[in-house]
Amino acid sequence: MPYRLSSRRSGFNLFACVPFIAFISALTLLTGCQEDDRGTHTTVLRASELANGRLDMATGGLLETLGQGKQANSSAKEAKPPKALSWSAPQTREDGSALKPGQIAGFRIYYRLRYEKRFSVIPVNNPQRTSQPLTDLPPGAYEFAITTVDAEGLESRRSPAVMVDLI
């Protein structure tokens, strides 16, 4: 027996309208909603400015640590190498006891190119001198450390190394 399609006109069918009603309701609710990202997101330009500011602060701190100081209106690539290595004479010995200026006989500057294994030494026999020109060294990436020698010939431990690029 073949199937017959017939139409029943029996009134309003609510279940047939549910998807349509849900669609219309969703559109009505979403019409007035727009995301305003101005208050929550940073523009690309502002993010770049913030990143550059942080980089400048970090670079300035690093250059200050190396004794090179940050120059106005210059980037890290344009920083000039230091013309001299300078230091402060210690006021105490390693054991914490006082080290008076008259007890210091001089200093020893240890240096090497970063790829070398051995250090060279520059003796500084004048205890009043607290700087050493770097103009006689050929260009390269150097590592420097310094020790203090007292009047009895005792030498302190080396200072923490300072990296300097001479161009």
Side-chain angles (χ1 to χ4, degrees):
M1 171 181 255
Y3 291 109
R4 286 170 88 184
L5 293 174
S6 65
S7 164
R8 278 186 356 173
R9 294 192 155 185
S10 65
F12 185 72
N13 186 354
L14 182 62
F15 294 111
C17 297
V18 169
F20 181 73
I21 293 171
F23 178 72
I24 295 298
S25 298
L27 281 178
T28 304
L29 290 173
L30 293 177
T31 304
C33 296
Q34 293 179 356
E35 183 178 350
D36 185 7
D37 64 351
R38 289 176 289 171
T40 58
H41 298 289
T42 306
T43 65
V44 174
L45 180 60
R46 181 66 182 140
S48 178
E49 289 173 359
L50 290 170
N52 286 339
R54 290 182 185 129
L55 179 63
D56 287 345
M57 285 177 21
T59 303
L62 179 62
L63 290 174
E64 186 177 316
T65 300
L66 295 175
Q68 295 180 359
K70 188 171 181 203
Q71 299 170 0
N73 297 328
S74 68
S75 68
K77 292 180 182 178
E78 297 172 356
K80 293 182 181 179
K83 295 179 182 179
L85 184 68
S86 60
W87 62 91
S88 299
Q91 297 178 349
T92 59
R93 295 181 181 272
E94 290 178 16
D95 66 1
S97 62
L99 180 64
K100 298 177 182 165
Q103 296 174 323
I104 297 175
F107 305 96
R108 289 188 184 137
I109 300 170
Y110 291 83
Y111 72 96
R112 69 177 176 185
L113 289 167
R114 289 186 203 152
Y115 63 84
E116 293 179 342
K117 291 186 179 192
R118 293 183 164 254
F119 282 89
S120 297
V121 179
I122 301 172
V124 178
N125 297 323
N126 180 353
Q128 304 301 318
R129 195 169 107 202
T130 57
S131 68
Q132 174 66 33
L134 300 176
T135 54
D136 294 338
L137 295 173
Y142 286 89
E143 179 178 341
F144 292 93
I146 191 166
T147 63
T148 303
V149 180
D150 72 3
E152 296 174 8
L154 297 174
E155 184 176 10
S156 69
R157 290 186 205 154
R158 290 183 191 171
S159 68
V162 175
M163 308 297 180
V164 177
D165 294 331
L166 299 177
I167 300 172

